[in-house]
Amino acid sequence: MLKIKQFTFNMFGINTYVVWNPETGNAAVIDPGMINDKEQAQIDRFISENGLVVHNLINTHMHVDHIFGDLYIKDKYDVDIAASPDDNFLGERAAMQCRMFGLPDDMAAVRIDRELKEGDTLEIGGEKVEILSVPGHSPGSLVLYFPQSKWAITGDVLFRRSIGRTDLVAGNHKQLIDGITRKLFALPDDTVVYPGHGDPTTIGEEKKENPFI
């Protein structure tokens, strides 16, 4: 059975997840949002203390708050960056994204090494992970569904009692709502949702209580 650890990083309060198999130590880092040495040390310490070997670096999407730590994890743990090619333009424009939020614009471009799309599968710690494409917050927004563990890591697609904003570049509200209702709400009600910001929830709770859908 896989385990999951949530970290909350940077001024945007983004959730970075480490998912691992406690028997083998095989691990994945999802949406690395570390923005300074202190946050980098925090995730490094966790990986070291638990004897983990990072095999995957996955972005649910390429908005800048979710990719601040991509190049650090890529270089330190010698892993490829996996994400949707539909968000490649966002990674290329990392410095421009920073300027939009009044941040220093010296951030290097983040380029995707491994393209993920609807219907693809990954193996994380010996468990098959299904890739769902749910655009609308960004064109390349992905959800990682772990059917065996009964989790969905949703990035900024679905939150507890909320949804991702659609007023950013290439956002599409109708597309987002359609993807949530058709794909995420088709998952079992007891699926735990680990979102890109805020607290976990379940698919069943959001079907009943989410006021935006």
Side-chain angles (χ1 to χ4, degrees):
M1 180 67 74
L2 297 183
K3 290 189 174 184
I4 187 167
K5 170 69 175 178
Q6 174 184 318
F7 298 85
T8 302
F9 290 136
N10 72 53
M11 68 287 292
F12 297 100
I14 174 259
N15 292 333
T16 293
Y17 295 101
V18 176
V19 175
W20 78 100
N21 183 322
E23 295 182 1
T24 65
N26 290 346
V29 178
I30 299 161
D31 288 348
M34 310 86 66
I35 201 169
N36 55 38
D37 292 347
K38 181 179 178 181
E39 292 183 348
Q40 291 168 358
Q42 188 178 348
I43 197 167
D44 285 343
R45 186 165 53 250
F46 181 84
I47 290 169
S48 175
E49 288 176 351
N50 287 276
L52 306 185
V53 180
V54 178
H55 288 280
N56 301 89
L57 191 177
I58 306 161
N59 284 110
T60 60
H61 64 297
M62 302 290 283
H63 283 149
V64 70
D65 52 333
H66 291 253
I67 64 172
F68 279 131
D70 270 36
L71 297 180
Y72 178 80
I73 293 293
K74 173 184 169 72
D75 292 343
K76 184 173 181 66
Y77 297 101
D78 191 25
V79 288
D80 289 339
I81 297 171
S84 167
D86 293 334
D87 270 9
N88 194 53
F89 75 102
L90 291 171
E92 293 277 0
R93 301 176 188 174
M96 184 183 298
Q97 290 194 67
C98 288
R99 283 198 297 275
M100 287 174 54
F101 292 103
L103 302 173
D105 63 356
D106 57 350
M107 182 175 176
V110 177
R111 296 182 174 89
I112 296 168
D113 301 306
R114 179 179 180 183
E115 297 183 350
L116 298 177
K117 61 184 184 302
E118 174 78 24
D120 284 350
T121 59
L122 293 171
E123 183 179 300
I124 297 178
E127 181 173 335
K128 185 179 77 170
V129 181
E130 299 175 10
I131 304 299
L132 306 178
S133 174
V134 190
H137 176 66
S138 75
S141 287
L142 302 174
V143 170
L144 311 182
Y145 175 50
F146 297 68
Q148 187 176 337
S149 293
K150 299 183 178 180
W151 304 335
I153 296 179
T154 60
D156 289 1
V157 170
L158 180 66
F159 304 121
R160 183 180 185 274
R161 311 299 189 266
S162 189
I163 60 172
R165 59 188 294 186
T166 55
D167 60 336
L168 299 173
V169 175
N172 186 312
H173 183 78
K174 183 179 183 301
Q175 195 176 38
L176 179 62
I177 296 297
D178 179 66
I180 292 171
T181 53
R182 285 193 306 106
K183 295 181 180 180
L184 298 194
F185 283 2
L187 301 177
D189 283 355
D190 61 350
T191 302
V192 178
V193 171
Y194 289 102
H197 303 265
D199 296 328
T201 181
T202 67
I203 291 294
E205 285 181 62
E206 297 314 305
K207 285 165 71 172
K208 293 178 181 177
E209 304 292 342
N210 195 304
F212 294 91
I213 305 166

